[in-house]
Amino acid sequence: MIDLKKFAQAAMLALLTASFVIPTGAEAANSQQTSNTVAPSTTTQVANFSNLGKSNKTSSSGYFNVNTEGYVTVNVSQTHNSDTAYVLYAIVKDRPDGTTTSYGSANLDGNGSFSFTSSKPLPVGEYYIRYNSKRTGRTSGTISVTTP
């Protein structure tokens, strides 16, 4: 009988120990896991311009879509034929009343590659880049946009 009593005590101790261990493992298996994954982004060329500033100082890119709200990065490559390029770029959205809303702009002074980011997250919608040469002569370049 003594051996049976010791066996019962050991079994009870094992059950109590298991009851503390198993729920913790089960809870971890059922808990939600979060991760800091970055949504894929898309880069699209929206303009390829030349002779900006000679006869026309202002132009607009093709439209691009933002399918997920977020910040947009504008990538510019610009050069001037005889001077330093100096161009104002603005991220623009047309409004139903015929006006526009700007979501950020940059005055880029120099020949080379530059980028800037929107001043606030862009809601889902259609946008374009308006660009205006501040120099006379011939400025040329490309504009691409990276959307979330």
Side-chain angles (χ1 to χ4, degrees):
M1 280 277 246
I2 296 175
D3 289 337
L4 187 57
K5 187 175 181 183
K6 285 184 180 181
F7 176 75
Q9 286 176 343
M12 183 62 88
L13 181 62
L15 282 171
L16 287 173
T17 303
S19 69
F20 288 114
V21 174
I22 291 173
T24 305
E27 182 180 286
N30 289 331
S31 67
Q32 289 184 337
Q33 294 182 356
T34 59
S35 64
N36 292 333
T37 58
V38 176
S41 59
T42 304
T43 301
T44 306
Q45 184 172 324
V46 294
N48 187 5
F49 59 92
S50 61
N51 293 330
L52 185 67
K54 182 165 175 66
S55 59
N56 59 331
K57 287 187 168 275
T58 302
S59 192
S60 297
S61 73
Y63 286 94
F64 63 92
N65 290 308
V66 173
N67 298 318
T68 303
E69 181 175 332
Y71 288 91
V72 169
T73 301
V74 178
N75 307 294
V76 173
S77 176
Q78 66 183 28
T79 186
H80 192 277
N81 67 327
S82 63
D83 199 353
T84 302
Y86 183 48
V87 182
L88 168 65
Y89 297 89
I91 305 168
V92 179
K93 180 176 179 67
D94 290 328
R95 296 172 46 148
D97 64 2
T99 61
T100 59
T101 301
S102 175
Y103 286 86
S105 63
N107 282 304
L108 301 180
D109 189 5
N111 296 324
S113 297
F114 307 92
S115 65
F116 68 96
T117 302
S118 57
S119 58
K120 56 188 168 187
L122 277 63
V124 172
E126 191 174 60
Y127 300 84
Y128 60 95
I129 306 298
R130 182 177 294 144
Y131 47 102
N132 180 8
S133 178
K134 302 292 184 178
R135 298 248 194 275
T136 57
R138 294 184 179 117
T139 299
S140 59
T142 59
I143 305 170
S144 63
V145 178
T146 304
T147 57

